[in-house]
Amino acid sequence: MTSLAQPARVLIDPVDGMGAAIEARRWGWPLVLLCLCVSLSGTAFSLKWDAAAATVQQLQASGELSRLSESEITDKIQIASRKGLVGGIAKGVFVMPVGVLLLTAVLWFSAWLFGVRAPFGRLMAVVAIAMMPIALYHLIFAFCVSAQHTMSEARVTSLIPSSLAVMGSASPKLKTLLGAVDFFNLWSVGLAGLGFSSATGMRRGRALLLMAVLYLMFFGVFAVGLPSMGGGAGAPMAGGK
């Protein structure tokens, strides 16, 4: 039970708990919990998702709706629903582990760049434990979605008002930028900074600043850059599906 209790303690006592968890390289259970929570979140959303409305809207936008028969539209709705279910599960099972590995590689490169060293296993523990607030977000999201009658993509960001993007008077572009100020994401960034400091010996303030810069770069690419080019739908952290 120690392998589960040590990472869980970090959520309550991050300053003292992070060092012990990183030293023991406790990345297994946090990664498993992340995968389970994200898969549960994706499954809950796909089961409540109004695939009919989303599919019809997409067909109208592409001009295909008038050329399709009722049975063909029904088939497309069923296919979209199945894709949503498979995609929701696949995000937890495949995307999250790959994401953790990629983020670990980024931390390893950052450590090399700043002249500090840490074993890859410790850095992987840093990332896996730092993602626990994201797992908590997806767990809360799954319970909230289960209580809804139907869900749409537009309701995802407003279902759990954890970021400044819920401000009603802001423009869409400003809301995207305000989405960076998200409680769960910033909690995760803070844990990553503390963990990176424990793993490499870098000063705590410098490590926290480095993680904040990396987070802003990450958010800028996935929440601003790729969506503006039609290549993404937002940062794959809290507040997005």
Side-chain angles (χ1 to χ4, degrees):
M1 292 298 293
T2 304
S3 59
L4 180 59
Q6 269 189 333
R9 180 191 169 195
V10 174
L11 297 178
I12 303 172
D13 184 15
V15 176
D16 295 328
M18 180 64 84
I22 298 304
E23 183 68 24
R25 305 186 186 188
R26 303 293 189 187
W27 58 267
W29 276 112
L31 181 58
V32 170
L33 290 174
L34 175 65
C35 295
L36 287 176
C37 290
V38 173
S39 296
L40 180 63
S41 170
T43 302
F45 177 80
S46 64
L47 293 177
K48 295 290 184 176
W49 178 47
D50 189 358
T55 303
V56 170
Q57 185 178 8
Q58 184 179 8
L59 292 174
Q60 284 179 331
S62 62
E64 296 181 49
L65 185 62
S66 59
R67 300 195 298 267
L68 297 176
S69 64
E70 185 175 343
S71 61
E72 289 174 327
I73 295 175
T74 302
D75 289 340
K76 286 187 175 294
I77 292 173
Q78 291 178 347
I79 292 173
S81 180
R82 292 167 187 164
K83 284 183 177 179
L85 179 60
V86 173
I89 298 174
K91 183 178 180 181
V93 175
F94 300 109
V95 177
M96 290 298 106
V98 172
V100 168
L101 283 174
L102 291 177
L103 290 175
T104 303
V106 170
L107 292 194
W108 183 88
F109 176 76
S110 299
W112 172 82
L113 190 65
F114 284 90
V116 293
R117 288 190 175 187
F120 195 85
R122 286 190 183 182
L123 294 177
M124 188 164 180
V126 171
V127 176
I129 295 173
M131 293 294 281
M132 289 183 68
I134 308 303
L136 179 61
Y137 165 83
H138 281 280
L139 183 62
I140 296 172
F141 182 86
F143 281 109
C144 291
V145 168
S146 299
Q148 308 300 311
H149 180 62
T150 58
M151 279 293 297
S152 64
E153 290 89 346
R155 293 192 59 196
V156 170
T157 55
S158 60
L159 187 63
I160 303 177
S162 60
S163 74
L164 296 182
V166 298
M167 296 176 61
S169 58
S171 64
K173 290 184 178 180
L174 181 58
K175 282 186 176 182
T176 299
L177 296 177
L178 291 175
V181 187
D182 180 274
F183 171 74
F184 292 97
N185 288 350
L186 295 180
W187 187 2
S188 181
V189 170
L191 291 180
L194 294 175
F196 191 77
S197 175
S198 298
T200 63
M202 180 181 284
R203 291 199 309 271
R204 189 172 294 167
R206 191 180 182 191
L208 288 170
L209 179 60
L210 174 61
M211 293 303 109
V213 172
L214 290 176
Y215 169 65
L216 290 176
M217 294 172 60
F218 175 86
F219 189 88
V221 171
F222 286 97
V224 179
L226 289 179
S228 66
M229 296 185 296
M237 297 184 74
K241 293 301 297 172

